[in-house]
Amino acid sequence: KDLEHARFITRLKTVMPVDANVVGSVLKHLKWYILLLLIIVIFGISYSNLSQGSDEESSRHLAERVRSLEAQIASMTRNGALQERLHVQQPDIQAKEFMPVKFLNEQSRKRILVTGGAGFVGSHLVDELMSLGHEVVVVDNFFTGRKRNVEHWVGHPNFELINHDVVEPLMIEVDQIYHLACPASPPHYMYNPIKTIKTSAIGTLNMLGLAKRVRARVLLASTSEVYGDPKEHPQKESYWGHVNPIGPRACYDEGKRVAETMCYAYAKQEKVQVRVARIFNTFGPRMHMTDGRVVSNFILQALRGQPLTIYGKGLQTRSFQYVSDLVSGLIKLMNSDVSDPVNLGNPDEYSIMDFANLIREEIASVTQNKQPPIQNKEAMEDDPQRRKPDISRAKETLQWQPVVPVREGIRKTIQYFQKELEAETKSVKAL
């Protein structure tokens, strides 16, 4: 045996150049390897038989349970109990009804992005664009916007809602961009001045970059605040403004001014199609009741029977337009060939004191209560003394001008605020 073993090793070495000692060790212990393999096979067969028996027992138990349930269902069906239970548990699901939407073919229908689309103005713009038959994508971080402003469109095939901050880049394919994203009321934009500046500057930069990539047209919702405390009256688009760059309102005023600068830099250097709307005071339903603006402050205070707060003597003037007029102007400007800035506002000018008296009269006629008093407080820093738009350019190039009288708009806004207060009262009582 030793001689045969030696001859085998010699032949193996000629065929495979391996270590003879390793091969010898393997052959020496081969019988133990075979024995271990047999034990594993026997154990596997035994475990398989046990599992099969367990599965058969489980199957028998499951079959018995199914037969028991079938018997119970048959019994309940005979005495009507099943129908009663199903009637109670079945939710009342109805197809969601949307506002009427015009049908547009592929060539006419546009995919439109509205930043800040869940806000006051943005949500009204979304309503109009949807009704015209376009596909609308709303981007909002809900700092001042509210989902309830656009929830009536959720589920519509032409509508999409994205929770996103425009300070971060956005990758999306669109044909037009309405860039409205930015806090617009003093308490909101003063709450975080740095964030306000970033939204106006970086947010606008991101939207212009997007417009450049996808060759979309972009409309910037600028503001009459770029005129500051004007020395020219009424204010034309050619007026450069009178702004305090380090005052409490500067984060908003200068943010919008630099946003306009970037728009025209992209238009000149990158050939991006830009439109700039300088928006004057706007009011209507979906305003925040506590946003600190003149209209919302006066209406809320009057409905609650509180004194109307006027900062200063109330001689400063403002011009107020209803939100539907603004939306009409924005859409006309976007679809026009006008690339210069355009004022969108109502040239009817009111002193703050006269406007407060108008609100008092309208509230008194609705509530049948006596008119609330007026309370004067210290004037606010950098508060513009006169504000009135010259809308000659809008009239000539867009054939646009406000059509909703201020009093009519105020009545609609009062109705909205009343419903909001009623809902708030019911919610408090429910708690």
Side-chain angles (χ1 to χ4, degrees), residues 15 25-26 39 52 57-58 123 129 174 185 197 208 228 266 314 317-318 333 347-348 394-395 412 419 431:
V15 177
S25 176
V26 170
I39 293 173
Q52 184 175 0
E57 183 178 352
S58 298
S123 62
L129 293 173
V174 292
S185 68
I197 296 170
L208 288 167
Y266 264 81
T317 65
R318 296 291 184 271
L333 176 58
D348 292 344
K395 286 182 177 179
K412 293 179 180 179
K419 292 179 180 178
L431 294 175

Side-chain angles (χ1 to χ4, degrees), residues 8 73-74 86 88 99 112 118 184 197 207 219 273 354 365 393:
F8 174 74
I73 292 173
L86 290 176
V88 173
M99 291 189 290
I112 301 175
I197 296 170
M207 291 304 106
L219 182 149
Q273 296 186 53
D354 290 340
S365 66
R393 181 176 292 176

Side-chain angles (χ1 to χ4, degrees), residues 284-351:
R286 299 179 191 166
M287 295 181 73
H288 272 283
M289 292 195 297
T290 57
D291 67 359
R293 303 187 203 198
V294 173
V295 177
S296 52
N297 275 357
F298 285 172
I299 293 178
L300 186 61
Q301 289 171 342
L303 286 174
R304 289 175 171 172
Q306 300 171 348
L308 273 60
T309 304
I310 292 180
Y311 296 94
K313 296 181 180 179
L315 301 180
Q316 61 270 42
T317 65
R318 296 291 184 271
S319 300
F320 302 95
Q321 68 178 334
Y322 191 64
V323 65
S324 62
D325 286 330
L326 173 59
V327 167
S328 171
L330 291 174
I331 294 175
K332 285 188 175 184
L333 176 58
M334 172 64 90
N335 297 304
S336 74
D337 295 325
V338 182
S339 58
D340 294 326
V342 177
N343 288 337
L344 295 179
N346 192 330
D348 292 344
E349 187 177 12
Y350 291 84
S351 72

Side-chain angles (χ1 to χ4, degrees), residues 65 68-87 89:
R65 179 59 179 160
S68 175
L69 289 174
E70 287 177 345
Q72 293 181 26
I73 292 173
S75 176
M76 294 170 65
T77 303
R78 285 193 296 271
N79 59 26
L82 180 62
Q83 286 84 345
E84 184 177 350
R85 288 193 182 186
L86 290 176
H87 178 72
Q89 296 176 2

